[in-house]
Amino acid sequence: MKKIIACLLTLFILVAQITPIYANVPPPPEIVGPTAVLMDFTTGQVLYDKNMHKRMYPASTTKILTAIIAIEKGNLNDIVTASDNVTKIDGNSIFLSPGEQLTLEQLLYALLLESANDAAIAIAEHIGGSIENFAKMMNEKAKEIGAYDSHFVNPNGLPDENHYSTPYDMALIARYAMQNPEFRKIVTTIHYQIPPTNKFDKVRDLWLSNRLIKPSSFHYEGADGVKTGYTVAAGQVLVASATRDGHRLISVIMGDQGTNIWTDTIKLLDYGFQNFTLVKKTEKGEVVTYIDLGKSHFKLPLIAKEDFYYEVPKGQENSIETQIILNKNINAPINKGDTLGYIKYTLNEKEIGTNPLIATESVYKNFWGNYYMDVQSSGVKNTMYTNPVRFITGTAILGIAFILWRRRKIRNRKKYIFSKY
């Protein structure tokens, strides 16, 4: 019985891996790599999943996280002095010497283009004070990004049983890093030179290892990131990014072998671009609806708080439906920016997201029950309900004028009566 259950479970897992996540799209490609994910950059939607939560060795794709922490915490013009530890590391290097000084920017290019492990050590010690403290920073940042199934013990990705990640987590980390313009600039640079330093009298030429970007038989149109990785324990690892017509996808494959890493990645990216499209349903700040306040019929515009994008199969661009849901019993005072409802988005009758609706201006109610807006908060004028002082002053003037008119009318009436008798 246990064998039957195990066989059924295995069959279910295999079917889940090849079943499209979305209906009405061609089946996903078959790839050699044992674990992979294809993610939309803008929304974070997963378009392809093959064991994407399985823990794997990330190898040098670890350096994506190292780099983004260095960019955020350091200054590119910082002078970094290498310690003795730069000579105690295996793998790729630019042969730093103890006491050698480079800028943080130069070391970042060495880290991401040449995948230099000694550059990773120098960066980690400069930013974190020690490798151990920098590893804590890495784990804190990973959790902040949402990569909860990862753990890092070094800045370079050399094998350690306690140093692991998943395709899904690495896609989240890459998605975060690719939002930074300095990071994007570095990972798309094919060639960079480090001039002579205080310890090295020659120019260091650095070359990008990403064959999707540089001229090669695997060059991919629109490729713009991110990082390669390899160790015997990890196999071939590639975190890739490509953008076409403003539509960016992130692919991660871990544990692949040989040139399969490139062909598998191309298959995934092609699958995404050929079968899906990114729809912008709502724009941030767009006036979505108005609410009618009280007997004065004061109309308050409500705007979308955020942009709303969603990845849909091609041909279903108009399938996203919206429903406006307002809070109950909306009354003044209302502050500019208050959330007064939300937009509910559905696709094929399934909820896919929400977007808060916020007030464009502050609104108050006066003594007579009429609404007026705060001109200073909105910059918008309403001839009837703009400013409380003006409204009260105007009302007072009208009242006085009415009283004077009434008195005059009574006085004239008395004169008429007396003159008659």
Side-chain angles (χ1 to χ4, degrees):
M1 184 66 181
K2 289 183 178 179
K3 289 184 178 180
I4 295 174
I5 294 174
C7 289
L8 290 174
L9 181 60
T10 302
L11 179 61
F12 172 79
I13 293 172
L14 290 173
V15 170
Q17 289 176 3
I18 62 174
T19 301
I21 295 176
Y22 294 87
N24 303 319
V25 294
E30 294 183 5
I31 65 170
V32 178
T35 67
V37 68
L38 181 67
M39 179 180 289
D40 176 75
F41 171 80
T42 303
T43 67
Q45 289 170 256
V46 172
L47 308 180
Y48 175 92
D49 165 17
K50 184 177 182 181
N51 300 316
M52 68 178 182
H53 294 299
K54 184 177 180 180
R55 291 180 178 180
M56 304 287 286
Y57 290 126
S60 285
T61 59
T62 298
K63 291 162 184 166
I64 298 170
L65 185 57
T66 300
I68 196 62
I69 292 173
I71 291 171
E72 291 181 347
K73 298 292 186 181
N75 187 304
L76 296 180
N77 296 318
D78 284 350
I79 300 300
V80 180
T81 302
S83 73
D84 292 345
N85 292 327
V86 297
T87 62
K88 303 173 183 178
I89 204 75
D90 296 326
N92 291 0
S93 74
I94 56 170
F95 304 103
L96 291 173
S97 299
E100 187 171 3
Q101 294 184 324
L102 291 84
T103 67
L104 179 60
E105 182 179 38
Q106 291 167 345
L107 287 170
L108 284 168
Y109 275 94
L111 179 81
L112 294 172
L113 271 61
E114 288 287 342
S115 202
N117 293 331
D118 51 356
I121 296 297
I123 290 171
E125 291 182 333
H126 175 74
I127 298 296
S130 68
I131 300 302
E132 293 74 21
N133 193 53
F134 188 79
K136 291 180 182 178
M137 295 172 67
M138 295 175 75
N139 290 315
E140 289 172 359
K141 191 66 179 181
K143 297 297 183 292
E144 177 187 320
I145 293 170
Y148 299 115
D149 206 18
S150 298
H151 188 264
F152 303 94
V153 297
N154 62 58
N156 44 51
L158 289 175
D160 187 296
E161 62 180 9
N162 292 315
H163 189 101
Y164 54 82
S165 189
T166 67
Y168 180 76
D169 280 8
M170 289 308 304
L172 291 180
I173 292 169
R175 181 180 176 225
Y176 178 86
M178 287 293 286
Q179 295 176 41
N180 186 285
E182 191 61 42
F183 181 89
R184 292 198 305 269
K185 175 185 173 184
I186 295 173
V187 296
T188 54
T189 300
I190 294 176
H191 177 232
Y192 182 85
Q193 289 186 322
I194 299 177
T197 68
N198 62 321
K199 294 283 187 176
F200 197 81
D201 60 2
K202 296 180 180 179
V203 172
R204 287 179 169 101
D205 284 292
L206 310 179
W207 295 93
L208 184 67
S209 60
N210 191 335
R211 296 168 74 175
L212 297 177
I213 296 176
K214 67 182 185 180
S216 75
S217 57
F218 298 107
H219 179 80
Y220 191 79
E221 180 186 350
D224 52 12
V226 177
K227 187 71 185 72
T228 59
Y230 173 78
T231 64
V232 173
Q236 296 285 355
V237 184
L238 178 60
V239 179
S241 168
T243 306
R244 293 181 179 177
D245 299 323
H247 182 196
R248 175 178 280 140
L249 299 176
I250 293 174
S251 164
V252 181
I253 300 177
M254 304 179 77
D256 218 334
Q257 298 297 322
T259 58
N260 292 323
I261 193 68
W262 305 107
T263 55
D264 282 349
T265 296
I266 289 171
K267 286 180 182 179
L268 291 187
L269 292 172
D270 280 347
Y271 172 71
F273 286 124
Q274 291 169 7
N275 294 289
F276 297 92
T277 186
L278 185 65
V279 174
K280 186 177 186 179
K281 189 65 177 177
T282 309
E283 184 172 352
K284 179 180 179 179
E286 172 188 341
V287 176
V288 176
T289 189
Y290 296 83
I291 55 174
D292 207 346
L293 293 173
K295 61 185 180 181
S296 56
H297 301 294
F298 183 95
K299 292 187 180 298
L300 175 66
L302 300 185
I303 61 174
K305 186 176 182 179
E306 304 292 345
D307 291 330
F308 185 83
Y309 290 89
Y310 203 75
E311 189 96 39
V312 299
K314 287 192 174 180
Q316 298 186 36
E317 290 84 353
N318 298 318
S319 299
I320 298 176
E321 297 181 351
T322 60
Q323 180 183 359
I324 296 172
I325 301 174
L326 299 177
N327 297 350
K328 295 180 179 179
N329 303 320
I330 298 175
N331 294 301
I334 297 170
N335 295 317
K336 181 179 180 179
D338 281 354
T339 299
L340 302 180
Y342 62 94
I343 311 170
K344 178 181 176 181
Y345 302 92
T346 57
L347 178 64
N348 299 326
E349 300 182 352
K350 178 182 178 182
E351 183 176 337
I352 58 174
T354 59
N355 195 354
L357 290 171
I358 60 175
T360 57
E361 52 215 39
S362 297
V363 178
Y364 306 96
K365 185 188 290 186
N366 64 21
F367 178 78
W368 292 274
N370 292 318
Y371 290 87
Y372 62 88
M373 73 179 82
D374 184 352
V375 177
Q376 292 182 345
S377 79
S378 65
V380 179
K381 293 184 178 181
N382 185 304
T383 55
M384 291 184 64
Y385 313 108
T386 55
N387 186 291
V389 175
R390 291 180 182 178
F391 184 86
I392 294 171
T393 302
T395 303
I397 292 172
L398 289 173
I400 293 170
F402 174 79
I403 292 171
L404 293 174
W405 172 81
R406 182 69 177 167
R407 284 181 177 179
R408 184 176 179 181
K409 187 174 181 181
I410 293 173
R411 192 163 49 246
N412 290 338
R413 186 178 179 184
K414 285 181 178 179
K415 286 182 180 180
Y416 172 77
I417 294 173
F418 292 148
S419 63
K420 191 173 181 180
Y421 294 97

